[in-house]
Amino acid sequence: MKSNFWRDSVGLAPGDNWKREWAAGILSYFASVYIVMVNAAILHDAGMPLRAGMVATLLTAITGCLLMAFGGKTPIIVVPGMGINAFFTYTLVHSMKLDWREALAVVVVTGVLFAIVAFTSLYRILSDAIPHNLQHAITVGIGLFLTFIGLQKSGIVIAHATTFVAIGHFSDPAVITSVVTLLLALVLFIRGTRGGLLISMLAGTGLAYLLGAAHAPENTESGHVFSGYGDVFASMEWSGFISLVFWIAVFLLLLIVVFENIGLISSQTLMIGRPERFKSSLRALSVANIAAGLFGSSPVVAAAESTAGIAAGGRSGLTSLVTGLLFGATFLFIPLLAYVPDSAIAPILIVIGGLMVQSVREMDLSDMTELFPAFLIMVMIPFTYSIVDGMAFGFITYPVVKLATGKGKDVPPALYGIAGLFVANFVLHALMG
């Protein structure tokens, strides 16, 4: 009786092999654990203490995996999303001038709204309101943005007074480290090496210290791994709750989180042959997003790395449970993670960015009224260094070109409202500027 209860609690079907589920969970962990350092580094750019960012990332991943194990009953791994973390830091904090604590409040509100969407039929309505080309263009644009950030952090691309950007100095040991790490990461990933991104990050760290491109942190945080985390946990700042900027941030973050996760969860539940678990997985993920803001992290996604565990035979929540437990064990290594330099992290951002650009294959490029709005989103996100402004160009252009060609009826009514909000945002900034 107890055995059946345990199997039912994580969704183990009669044909599932628990040993294979354990192996899949271990593989998923090594495929996704790199996110701990990468996400913490991006949160640190927003002003959050580095160690606290690692703790927040781990607690968020553990909670997300456990919710998916017992709520979604699928082998989907839940971690802070690459691209969405860039939106958190470089758009909400740097571009929209929110404090990182205000940005965490945006994450919590977004998580609550996502839960409302997930527990009702609103997720279908919201998904249908945005044309697929624009959805995929956002993913591609964020991928290019991540790549640009990676190139900057690595020193491969530097600022230039005349051309704005230029190639970096290859006499710099940090640049050499980044290039070698990038090549290693690409080779390992293309060859399908398990944990390839983690291996390349560790190898890059060793090379950085060998070449003198990195030095031990001067101000290593002493004490318990949780020391200082109290200033981050549940530290949301609500003073801007009634401001227009706050709600624009919530609206845009909600669009990104909903679109990305609907696509990821749908594809992954189909991969395991259990599409009926889509709703429970989406609901588990929505609750995990509320937890992310409380713990002090950017929003979570159904990690693309989940496919590694699925390919290894993961079919139930036992896989995500094992991965969550291993994330818990990672707390032991937090003091060591602070030694990983930017030159070892930046190449991972470039690889992830390249993977996100694959979404261009799903786009309809034959219709010019579909192509150009999507094109503007893809190029304006990295060129304006703002996901919001990049999205605005595409969302405003879409109804304009459709109306100009007599295809106004092809535009979902909600999209006219969204375009109006983006125009109002530009007008507001112009008046305030």
Side-chain angles (χ1 to χ4, degrees):
M1 190 73 175
K2 290 182 179 179
S3 177
N4 287 337
F5 174 78
W6 164 248
R7 293 177 67 89
D8 292 341
S9 64
V10 293
L12 270 170
D16 293 337
N17 185 310
W18 70 269
K19 290 183 179 179
R20 193 162 54 221
E21 298 283 334
W22 270 86
I26 295 170
L27 177 59
S28 293
Y29 168 77
F30 282 107
S32 59
V33 68
Y34 73 89
I35 194 69
V36 177
M37 190 57 227
V38 176
N39 191 61
I42 292 177
L43 294 176
H44 184 56
D45 284 350
M48 192 180 296
L50 184 63
R51 178 183 285 189
M54 295 180 202
V55 172
T57 300
L58 279 173
L59 289 174
T60 300
I62 293 166
T63 303
C65 287
L66 293 180
L67 283 168
M68 193 59 73
F70 297 107
K73 302 182 190 301
T74 50
I76 296 172
I77 307 308
V78 178
V79 294
M82 294 300 300
I84 297 180
N85 52 11
F87 182 87
F88 178 93
T89 293
Y90 304 108
T91 296
L92 297 188
V93 176
H94 290 186
S95 296
M96 301 180 76
K97 307 303 180 185
L98 296 175
D99 182 80
W100 62 266
R101 295 171 182 83
E102 293 178 299
L104 289 178
V106 170
V107 174
V108 171
V109 173
T110 300
V112 172
L113 294 177
F114 185 17
I116 294 172
V117 168
F119 281 85
T120 63
S121 59
L122 284 174
Y123 69 88
R124 287 198 187 93
I125 298 172
L126 191 57
S127 180
D128 293 342
I130 310 299
H132 290 295
N133 254 30
L134 298 190
Q135 294 184 33
H136 293 306
I138 293 169
T139 301
V140 174
I142 293 175
L144 293 173
F145 188 35
L146 271 182
T147 301
F148 188 42
I149 293 169
L151 290 171
Q152 285 182 308
K153 280 182 169 289
S154 65
I156 296 174
V157 166
I158 58 175
H160 190 277
T162 305
T163 60
F164 296 104
V165 292
I167 196 72
H169 304 292
F170 283 85
S171 58
D172 185 344
V175 176
I176 296 172
T177 300
S178 295
V179 171
V180 173
T181 304
L182 175 60
L183 292 174
L184 177 61
L186 290 173
V187 169
L188 294 178
F189 181 83
I190 291 171
R191 290 178 60 87
T193 304
R194 297 177 178 180
L197 295 182
L198 175 63
I199 293 171
S200 58
M201 188 187 299
L202 294 176
T205 299
L207 182 61
Y209 283 97
L210 185 65
L211 297 180
H215 304 281
E218 294 180 5
N219 300 315
T220 53
E221 300 174 54
S222 59
H224 196 272
V225 292
F226 285 92
S227 60
Y229 177 64
D231 296 331
V232 172
F233 178 73
S235 62
M236 297 80 66
E237 172 58 58
W238 299 100
S239 59
F241 185 76
I242 59 174
S243 70
L244 179 61
V245 172
F246 182 92
W247 286 101
I248 289 174
V250 168
F251 175 71
L252 294 174
L253 185 58
L254 180 64
L255 288 182
I256 295 171
V257 170
V258 171
F259 295 154
E260 186 159 348
N261 283 305
I262 286 177
L264 286 167
I265 293 176
S266 178
S267 63
Q268 290 168 5
T269 50
L270 284 173
M271 282 180 67
I272 63 174
R274 293 166 187 175
E276 71 278 2
R277 293 184 182 175
F278 170 83
K279 282 187 181 179
S280 61
S281 298
L282 188 68
R283 291 170 179 176
L285 193 70
S286 69
V287 176
N289 267 292
I290 300 173
L294 294 172
F295 286 132
S297 174
S298 52
V300 295
V301 297
E305 289 80 8
S306 301
T307 55
I310 293 172
R315 293 293 179 270
S316 75
L318 181 55
T319 294
S320 47
L321 173 60
V322 171
T323 303
L325 294 175
L326 289 173
F327 273 126
T330 309
F331 279 113
L332 298 172
F333 303 101
I334 279 184
L336 297 176
L337 295 178
Y339 288 81
V340 181
D342 277 351
S343 55
I345 295 172
I348 308 303
L349 297 178
I350 298 171
V351 173
I352 298 297
L355 295 176
M356 295 178 72
V357 171
Q358 290 182 102
S359 289
V360 75
R361 296 182 302 183
E362 308 297 326
M363 298 169 63
D364 175 15
L365 304 179
S366 60
D367 183 345
M368 293 298 106
T369 63
E370 295 283 338
L371 167 63
F372 278 102
F375 168 73
L376 287 174
I377 289 176
M378 290 187 287
V379 299
M380 294 304 287
I381 286 177
F383 289 169
T384 62
Y385 216 79
S386 169
I387 297 171
V388 170
D389 292 337
M391 289 172 62
F393 272 87
F395 277 66
I396 294 170
T397 304
Y398 191 88
V400 171
V401 296
K402 287 292 185 181
L403 288 168
T405 54
K407 298 179 179 179
K409 292 183 179 180
D410 293 347
V411 182
L415 192 57
Y416 286 109
I418 294 172
L421 288 174
F422 277 119
V423 171
N425 185 44
F426 279 143
V427 172
L428 180 66
H429 279 288
L431 294 175
M432 292 174 64

